[in-house]
Amino acid sequence: MSPAPAEPLVSLRGVQKHYGAVQALTDIDLDVAPGEVVVVIGPSGSGKSTLCRCINRLETISGGQITIDGQPLPNEGRELARLRAEVGMVFQSFNLFGHKNVLENITMAPVNVAKVNRAEAQQRARELLDRVGLADKETAMPAQLSGGQQQRIAIARALAMRPKLMLFDEPTSALDPEMINEVLAVMVELAAEGMTMVVVTHEMGFARQAANRVIFMDAGRIVETGTPQEFFDHPQTDRARDFLSKVLTH
């Protein structure tokens, strides 16, 4: 007998999101399995970032249901804080605390939220700094770092909480071209290690290399979904073909 498929780590059913009269997400159904890397692509304004922000309740959905590890998203309070501790998020802007050095940025949440012993948190932080190639930067202030270095610190900070899921919302779009690859390299390594990831990105090379599944969104809906090979080599919809013809020409 083949093993039963794993329960999805993230499940969205009939998710709606509107801002006043503007419908940002319409009837989103999506499951993300443990260890799966799902890359979400599509034109600007298609709802990609809104989808990402709804998964950890930075945005409140207007209808439908989202569950993480079988539990519905909590509304507020301690349960929501616990969820956020288990879901790491890396944003377009790095959101580091400018008045704290690198080591303090990474250890703050483990010590204050997860109540990890400070020495243990610092040891974990140093391991993560080594992993993202910045072991020599623990006493640096964010302003002393390049954008690519700051984003790698932001990834280390999210990993410090030992999340079961990582969300990336266009993590390279604010970076100079030469810094993009150093961030993507860390993400590719994370994917290879089996971290469950939902990644909103314009980086088609990353989608081809690291995704298990590509989701193409347009006008707040999931238009197409498939493996990278299926999607890039044999898009099924005119909308996806048109999008790819524009982004893959260079």
Side-chain angles (χ1 to χ4, degrees), residues 81-88 106-116 124 128 155-164 166 195:
R82 187 173 298 144
L83 165 87
R84 293 229 174 103
E86 294 181 339
V87 179
I106 298 173
T107 56
M108 211 168 138
V111 170
N112 295 334
V113 178
K115 306 302 180 197
V116 174
R124 166 90 173 145
L128 290 167
I155 293 172
R157 181 178 63 178
L159 292 172
M161 291 294 283
R162 302 183 187 276
K164 52 176 79 164
M166 285 284 285
M195 172 62 77

Coordinates of all heavy atoms in Angstrom, one line a residue, residues 81-88 106-116 124 128 155-164 166 195:
A81 N -0.1 35.4 18.2 CA 1.3 35.6 18.4 C 2.0 34.2 18.3 O 3.1 34.2 17.7 CB 1.6 36.2 19.8
R82 N 1.4 33.2 18.7 CA 2.0 31.8 18.6 C 2.1 31.4 17.2 O 3.1 30.9 16.7 CB 1.1 30.8 19.4 CG 1.8 29.5 19.5 CD 1.0 28.5 20.4 NE 1.0 29.1 21.8 CZ 0.0 29.0 22.6 NH1 -1.2 28.4 22.2 NH2 0.0 29.4 23.8
L83 N 1.0 31.7 16.4 CA 1.0 31.4 15.0 C 2.2 32.1 14.3 O 2.9 31.6 13.5 CB -0.3 31.8 14.3 CG -0.2 31.8 12.8 CD1 -0.5 30.5 12.2 CD2 -1.1 32.9 12.2
R84 N 2.3 33.4 14.6 CA 3.3 34.2 13.9 C 4.7 33.7 14.3 O 5.6 33.9 13.5 CB 3.2 35.7 14.3 CG 1.9 36.3 13.8 CD 2.1 37.6 13.1 NE 0.9 38.1 12.5 CZ 0.1 39.0 12.9 NH1 0.5 39.6 14.1 NH2 -1.0 39.4 12.3
A85 N 4.8 33.2 15.5 CA 6.1 32.6 15.9 C 6.5 31.4 15.0 O 7.6 31.0 14.8 CB 6.1 32.2 17.3
E86 N 5.4 30.7 14.5 CA 5.7 29.4 13.8 C 5.7 29.7 12.3 O 6.0 28.8 11.5 CB 4.5 28.4 14.1 CG 4.5 27.9 15.5 CD 3.5 26.9 15.8 OE1 2.5 26.9 15.0 OE2 3.6 26.2 16.8
V87 N 5.4 30.9 11.8 CA 5.4 31.3 10.4 C 6.4 32.4 10.2 O 6.1 33.5 10.6 CB 4.0 31.7 10.0 CG1 4.0 32.1 8.5 CG2 3.0 30.5 10.2
G88 N 7.5 32.1 9.7 CA 8.5 33.1 9.4 C 8.1 33.9 8.2 O 7.6 33.4 7.2
I106 N 18.6 39.2 15.7 CA 18.2 37.8 15.5 C 17.8 37.1 16.8 O 16.9 36.3 16.8 CB 19.5 37.0 14.9 CG1 19.8 37.6 13.5 CG2 19.1 35.5 14.8 CD1 21.1 37.0 12.9
T107 N 18.3 37.6 17.9 CA 18.0 36.9 19.2 C 16.8 37.5 19.9 O 16.2 36.9 20.8 CB 19.2 37.0 20.2 OG1 19.5 38.4 20.4 CG2 20.4 36.2 19.7
M108 N 16.3 38.7 19.4 CA 15.2 39.4 20.1 C 14.0 38.5 20.3 O 13.4 38.4 21.4 CB 14.9 40.7 19.4 CG 14.4 41.8 20.3 SD 14.4 43.3 19.3 CE 12.9 44.0 19.9
A109 N 13.5 38.0 19.2 CA 12.2 37.2 19.3 C 12.4 35.9 20.0 O 11.5 35.6 20.9 CB 11.6 37.0 17.9
P110 N 13.4 35.1 19.8 CA 13.6 33.9 20.6 C 13.6 34.2 22.1 O 13.0 33.5 22.9 CB 14.9 33.3 20.1 CG 15.0 33.8 18.7 CD 14.4 35.2 18.7
V111 N 14.3 35.3 22.5 CA 14.4 35.6 23.9 C 13.1 36.1 24.5 O 12.6 35.7 25.5 CB 15.6 36.6 24.2 CG1 15.6 37.1 25.6 CG2 16.9 35.9 23.9
N112 N 12.5 37.1 23.8 CA 11.4 37.8 24.3 C 10.0 37.1 24.1 O 9.1 37.2 24.9 CB 11.3 39.2 23.7 CG 12.5 40.1 24.2 OD1 13.1 39.8 25.2 ND2 12.8 41.0 23.4
V113 N 9.9 36.4 22.9 CA 8.6 35.8 22.6 C 8.7 34.3 22.9 O 7.7 33.8 23.6 CB 8.3 35.9 21.0 CG1 7.0 35.2 20.7 CG2 8.3 37.4 20.7
A114 N 9.7 33.6 22.5 CA 9.8 32.1 22.8 C 10.4 31.8 24.1 O 10.5 30.6 24.5 CB 10.5 31.5 21.6
K115 N 10.9 32.8 24.8 CA 11.5 32.7 26.2 C 12.7 31.7 26.1 O 12.9 30.9 27.1 CB 10.5 32.2 27.2 CG 9.2 33.1 27.3 CD 9.6 34.5 27.6 CE 8.3 35.4 27.7 NZ 8.7 36.8 27.6
V116 N 13.5 31.8 25.0 CA 14.7 30.9 24.9 C 15.8 31.6 25.8 O 15.9 32.8 25.8 CB 15.1 30.8 23.5 CG1 16.5 30.1 23.3 CG2 14.1 30.1 22.6
R124 N 22.4 29.8 18.5 CA 21.5 29.6 17.4 C 21.7 30.7 16.3 O 21.9 30.5 15.1 CB 20.1 29.5 17.8 CG 19.1 29.6 16.7 CD 18.7 28.2 16.1 NE 17.6 28.3 15.2 CZ 17.5 27.5 14.1 NH1 18.4 26.6 13.8 NH2 16.5 27.6 13.3
L128 N 23.1 30.5 12.5 CA 22.3 31.0 11.3 C 23.2 32.0 10.5 O 23.1 32.0 9.3 CB 21.0 31.6 11.8 CG 20.0 30.6 12.3 CD1 18.9 31.2 13.0 CD2 19.5 29.7 11.1
I155 N 16.4 36.9 6.8 CA 16.1 35.5 6.7 C 16.5 34.7 8.0 O 15.8 33.9 8.5 CB 16.7 34.9 5.4 CG1 16.0 35.5 4.2 CG2 16.6 33.3 5.4 CD1 16.7 35.1 2.9
A156 N 17.8 35.0 8.4 CA 18.3 34.4 9.6 C 17.4 34.7 10.8 O 17.1 33.8 11.7 CB 19.7 34.9 9.9
R157 N 16.9 35.9 10.9 CA 16.1 36.3 12.0 C 14.8 35.5 12.0 O 14.3 35.1 13.0 CB 15.8 37.8 11.9 CG 14.9 38.3 13.1 CD 14.6 39.8 13.0 NE 13.9 40.2 11.8 CZ 13.5 41.4 11.6 NH1 13.8 42.4 12.4 NH2 12.8 41.7 10.5
A158 N 14.2 35.3 10.8 CA 13.0 34.5 10.7 C 13.2 33.1 11.1 O 12.4 32.4 11.8 CB 12.4 34.6 9.3
L159 N 14.4 32.5 10.7 CA 14.7 31.1 11.0 C 15.0 30.9 12.5 O 14.9 29.8 13.0 CB 15.9 30.7 10.1 CG 15.7 30.6 8.6 CD1 17.0 30.3 7.9 CD2 14.7 29.5 8.3
A160 N 15.4 32.0 13.2 CA 15.8 31.8 14.6 C 14.6 31.3 15.4 O 14.8 30.7 16.5 CB 16.3 33.2 15.1
M161 N 13.4 31.5 15.0 CA 12.2 31.1 15.7 C 11.8 29.6 15.3 O 10.8 29.1 15.8 CB 11.0 32.0 15.4 CG 11.2 33.4 16.0 SD 11.2 33.4 17.8 CE 9.4 33.2 18.1
R162 N 12.7 29.0 14.5 CA 12.4 27.6 14.1 C 11.0 27.4 13.5 O 10.2 26.6 14.0 CB 12.7 26.6 15.2 CG 14.0 26.7 15.8 CD 14.3 25.6 16.9 NE 15.5 25.8 17.6 CZ 16.7 25.4 17.2 NH1 16.8 24.7 16.0 NH2 17.8 25.6 17.8
P163 N 10.7 28.2 12.5 CA 9.3 28.2 12.0 C 9.1 26.9 11.2 O 10.0 26.3 10.7 CB 9.3 29.4 11.0 CG 10.7 29.5 10.6 CD 11.5 29.2 11.8
K164 N 7.8 26.5 11.1 CA 7.4 25.4 10.3 C 7.1 25.8 8.9 O 6.9 24.9 8.0 CB 6.2 24.6 10.9 CG 5.0 25.5 11.3 CD 3.9 24.6 11.8 CE 4.0 24.3 13.3 NZ 2.8 23.8 13.9
M166 N 7.9 29.2 6.0 CA 8.5 30.5 5.7 C 7.7 31.1 4.5 O 7.5 30.5 3.5 CB 10.0 30.3 5.3 CG 10.9 30.0 6.4 SD 11.3 31.5 7.4 CE 12.4 32.3 6.4
M195 N 12.5 23.0 3.9 CA 11.7 24.0 4.5 C 10.4 24.2 3.7 O 10.5 24.3 2.4 CB 12.5 25.3 4.6 CG 11.7 26.5 5.1 SD 10.9 26.3 6.8 CE 12.4 26.6 7.8

